[in-house]
Amino acid sequence: MREIADAEDRNAAADAAIARVLGAEREARRSIEQARAETDEIAEQARRSARATGERVERRMRCVTDAFERDIAARLAEIDAEGAALDEASPLTAGERTLLQDAVAALARHLAGGPP
């Protein structure tokens, strides 16, 4: 009889050990699934953050580009205005015309080898 009692105790101990192992395995699977879910959420948050950062960079680049284009347009308008003003030169005064004629005559004499 003692042997039967010992065998039943061993079976009960083995069953308890198997139940503990199976319980630990279930808990481990739940932990793995929870870790996967948390990992997926972290990855999704990272993707959202990366998209938001990309969108901010794009907006800032557009602002800088627009400002640069406005600055260039303003500078080109200034250059065009200066060019137009130069194209509309006022006629020479009598004194300026005399000075210019004298300078041209002096240059011609110099080039021809004569006295200045």
Side-chain angles (χ1 to χ4, degrees), residues 41-96:
E41 179 58 30
I42 290 169
E44 183 56 35
Q45 287 175 358
R47 284 189 286 274
R48 283 192 301 265
S49 177
R51 279 192 299 272
T53 299
E55 290 167 0
R56 281 193 308 275
V57 166
E58 185 66 32
R59 282 191 306 271
R60 289 177 182 170
M61 287 176 59
R62 258 186 269 126
C63 286
V64 168
T65 300
D66 291 348
F68 177 75
E69 288 174 353
R70 284 191 304 272
D71 184 53
I72 291 298
R75 289 181 185 196
L76 287 175
E78 290 174 8
I79 291 170
D80 289 343
E82 287 179 21
L86 292 175
D87 288 343
E88 298 173 7
S90 59
L92 297 176
T93 64
E96 291 170 333

